C-alpha cells in the first residue's frame, strides 16, 4: 500500500482526502454534537465512487476518512465488511449480486454485527431452526447484540447467530421489517451513551423471537474454525488508528505551528509510515502486535496534539479533546486478548 504521507495518492485516495478535508473535518464537531452521521455524508462518499474501491486502496480510503471524521469512517468501514461476506456468498452462484451492487453504488447502507456469535464463550444471539410446526423455513433469533453501529442509517444488517457449534451469517433487510410493520416488533434498539464516536449511532440490539428466512443466509461456518481464522481479518480496523495519527500529523504541521511542532509532525509521520508498513506486512501471527502498535501510536499522537494545543485542549469540542476521546475508543474497539496484552505490556513493561 502506498503510504499517503510520502508518495502520491491514487485517484481514489486523493478523492477521499479531498472529501475528508472539505466535507468531513469541517463538520465533525457539529456532527458529533448532533449525535448522528448524516446520510448525506455516506451518499457523498458513495457518489464519489469510493464504495467501489477495494484492496489496498480501500484501506487507504478508510485512513483518509478517519483523519477527517472518525465516526463517519467507522460507519463507512462496516460496508467494507458486509461487501466481503456478500462477495464470498456470491462466489458460486451470484446470489447476492443485487445487494452487492446496491451497496457499492451507495443506494443502500449496511452494518455488520459479528460479535453476537463470534466471540469466545456463550453466544449473545442464538438461532433455533424452524420446524414444520412453525410453518416456515429458517430460524428464530433471540438475544442481544452488544454493539451495532450505524443504527438509523442502515438498510440492512449482517448479523451472526449461533446454532449449536455453527455460526450463521444472516442478512436482515431492515427496510422490509420496517415497511411491513410500521415499527420493528421483536427487534428493539437501545441507544448507548458513548463518550466517543457518538455520531456513529451505535446501539445495543435486542432480539426477541425474530424470524429470518432460509434465503437470508449468506454464510455458515463452525465457530471453532472462525475463531482459528480470526487473526487473519484484523488488518482493516487498523486503518482507523492510522487515520487518527494522520489527523495529528496534519494538525501539528499546519501553517500556524512553530518549527518544533513541524519537527514533531515529521517524526510522527515517519512513525505512521513504519506502523502502516508493519500492518501491511503482517501475517495472522503478527497482526495483533501490529494492531497494538497502531493503537499505541494513535494514543501518543493524540497526547502530542493535546500538549502542543495547550490548556484549550480540555475545551469540549476542540480538535485535541475529540481526538483524545477517539483514541480511547480505538484502545478498546475491535480488540482481541493478544492486542490488549501487547498494549498493556507496552504501558507497564514487566508487570504481568
Ligand atoms: C463504539 C463501539 C461500536 C462497536 N460497533 C460494533 C459493530 O457495529 N459490530 C461489531 O461486530 N462489533 C462492534 N463493536 C464491538 C467490538 O468489535 C468489540 O469492542 C471487540 O469485540 C472487543 O470488545 P471487548 O473487549 O469488550 O470484548 P467482547 O466483545 O465482549 O469479547 C470478549 C473477549 O473475547 C475477545 N474476542 C472477541 N471477539 C473475538 C474473536 N473473534 N476471536 C477471539 N477473541 C475474541 C475479546 O477481545 C474479549 O477479550 C463495537 C464496539 C464499540 C466500543
Amino acid at each position: 500500500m502506498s503510504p499517503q504521507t510520502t508518495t502520491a495518492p491514487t485517484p481514489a485516495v486523493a478523492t477521499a482526502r479531498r472529501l475528508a478535508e472539505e466535507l468531513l473535518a469541517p463538520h465533525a464537531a457539529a456532527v458529533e454534537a448532533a449525535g448522528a452521521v448524516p446520510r448525506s455524508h455516506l451518499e457523498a462518499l458513495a457518489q464519489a465512487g469510493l464504495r467501489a474501491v477495494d484492496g489496498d486502496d480501500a484501506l487507504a480510503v478508510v485512513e483518509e476518512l478517519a483523519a477527517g471524521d472518525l465516526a463517519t469512517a467507522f460507519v463507512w468501514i462496516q460496508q467494507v465488511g458486509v461487501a466481503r461476506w456478500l462477495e464470498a456468498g456470491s462466489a458460486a452462484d451470484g446470489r447476492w449480486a443485487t445487494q452487492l451492487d446496491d451497496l457499492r453504488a451507495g443506494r443502500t447502507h449496511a452494518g455488520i454485527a459479528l460479535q453476537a456469535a463470534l466471540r469466545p464463550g456463550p453466544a449473545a444471539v442464538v438461532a433455533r431452526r424452524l420446524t414444520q410446526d412453525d410453518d416456515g423455513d429458517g430460524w428464530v433469533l433471540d438475544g442481544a447484540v452488544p454493539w451495532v453501529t450505524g443504527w438509523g442509517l442502515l438498510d440492512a444488517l449482517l448479523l451472526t447467530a449461533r446454532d449449536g457449534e455453527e455460526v450463521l451469517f444472516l442478512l436482515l433487510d431492515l427496510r422490509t421489517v420496517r415497511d411491513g410493520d410500521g415499527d420493528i416488533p421483536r427487534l428493539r434498539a437501545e441507544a448507548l451513551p458513548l463518550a466517543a464516536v457518538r455520531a456513529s449511532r451505535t446501539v445495543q440490539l435486542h432480539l426477541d423471537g425474530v424470524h429470518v428466512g432460509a434465503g437470508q443466509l449468506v454464510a455458515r461456518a463452525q465457530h471453532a474454525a472462525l475463531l482459528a481464522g480470526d487473526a487473519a481479518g484484523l488488518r482493516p480496523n487498523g486503518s482507523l488508528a492510522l487515520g487518527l495519527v494522520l489527523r495529528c500529523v496534519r494538525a501539528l504541521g499546519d501553517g500556524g505551528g512553530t518549527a518544533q511542532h513541524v519537527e514533531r509532525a515529521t517524526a510522527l509521520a515517519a512513525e505512521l509510515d513504519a506502523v502502516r508498513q508493519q500492518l501491511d506486512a503482517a501475517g495472522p501471527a503478527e497482526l495483533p502486535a501490529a494492531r497494538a502498535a497502531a493503537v499505541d501510536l494513535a494514543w501518543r499522537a493524540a497526547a502530542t496534539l493535546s500538549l502542543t494545543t495547550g490548556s484549550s485542549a480540555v475545551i469540549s469540542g476542540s480538535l485535541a479533546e475529540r481526538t483524545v476521546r477517539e483514541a480511547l475508543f480505538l484502545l478498546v474497539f475491535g480488540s482481541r486478548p493478544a492486542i490488549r496484552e501487547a498494549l498493556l505490556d507496552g504501558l507497564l513493561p514487566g508487570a504481568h
Side-chain angles (χ1 to χ4, degrees):
M1 174 191 299
S2 54
Q4 295 96 303
T5 40
T6 54
T7 58
T10 64
V13 177
T15 300
R17 185 177 300 179
R18 181 180 55 76
L19 284 167
E21 286 175 357
E22 293 175 5
L23 177 69
L24 304 193
H27 294 108
V31 162
E32 178 168 64
V37 169
R39 202 177 167 96
S40 55
H41 270 22
L42 300 182
E43 282 163 1
L45 300 175
Q47 276 159 18
L50 297 181
R51 281 272 181 85
V53 175
D54 54 17
D56 287 352
D57 252 15
L59 297 176
V61 163
V62 168
E63 185 176 329
E64 288 290 346
L65 300 184
D69 175 10
L70 190 65
T72 301
F74 185 38
V75 174
W76 176 264
I77 202 171
Q78 315 281 320
Q79 325 289 328
V80 177
V82 178
R84 284 202 179 142
W85 280 103
L86 292 183
E87 256 166 18
S90 272
D93 55 9
R95 217 158 42 94
W96 297 101
T98 307
Q99 288 84 347
L100 209 47
D101 277 356
D102 286 347
L103 201 61
R104 291 224 172 98
R107 286 187 289 274
T108 58
H109 304 294
I112 186 162
L114 297 180
Q115 297 312 313
L118 265 184
R119 65 186 180 190
V125 175
V126 292
R128 177 179 66 80
R129 182 92 216 193
L130 287 167
T131 63
Q132 275 188 337
D133 294 346
D134 295 309
D135 196 23
D137 186 14
W139 294 267
V140 181
L141 309 183
D142 284 288
V145 189
W147 308 92
V148 176
T149 290
W151 195 253
L153 288 167
L154 305 179
D155 303 302
L157 178 67
L158 187 67
L159 175 71
T160 59
R162 193 109 49 90
D163 182 2
E165 292 306 309
E166 199 175 38
V167 175
L168 309 175
F169 292 74
L170 300 153
L171 193 69
L172 258 59
D173 187 334
L174 300 171
R175 293 167 309 180
T176 311
V177 185
R178 278 199 191 102
D179 292 349
D181 301 286
D183 195 0
I184 308 182
R186 302 175 181 274
L187 199 60
R188 182 173 59 82
E190 182 185 341
L192 295 170
L194 298 182
V197 292
R198 269 187 65 217
S200 67
R201 307 194 190 193
T202 299
V203 300
Q204 185 165 49
L205 192 62
H206 299 267
L207 296 96
D208 180 14
V210 173
H211 283 233
V212 291
Q216 289 165 268
L217 184 70
V218 173
R220 64 199 310 167
Q222 288 297 307
H223 185 219
L226 288 168
L227 283 185
D230 177 68
L234 292 178
R235 170 64 184 88
N237 279 336
S239 291
L240 296 172
L242 298 180
L244 205 78
V245 181
L246 187 60
R247 179 196 302 171
C248 294
V249 167
R250 290 178 182 158
L252 284 167
D254 234 3
T258 65
Q260 271 179 328
H261 289 184
V262 173
E263 213 174 285
R264 292 204 165 93
T266 306
L268 197 55
E271 281 207 64
L272 172 60
D273 285 345
V275 168
R276 189 187 299 108
Q277 280 164 22
Q278 187 184 350
L279 272 167
D280 289 341
E286 298 90 28
L287 266 169
R291 277 280 304 276
V295 171
D296 173 68
L297 185 60
W299 190 245
R300 289 189 287 119
T304 305
L305 181 62
S306 301
L307 285 163
T308 54
T309 300
S311 42
S312 63
V314 299
I315 303 288
S316 283
S318 73
L319 182 66
E321 182 261 357
R322 178 161 48 86
T323 302
V324 166
R325 286 186 289 104
E326 291 178 348
L328 162 66
F329 159 73
L330 293 169
L331 207 52
V332 294
F333 164 72
S335 191
R336 298 290 183 269
I339 301 176
R340 189 183 54 223
E341 290 309 310
L343 283 164
L344 284 168
D345 284 350
L347 288 170
L348 293 170
H352 53 242

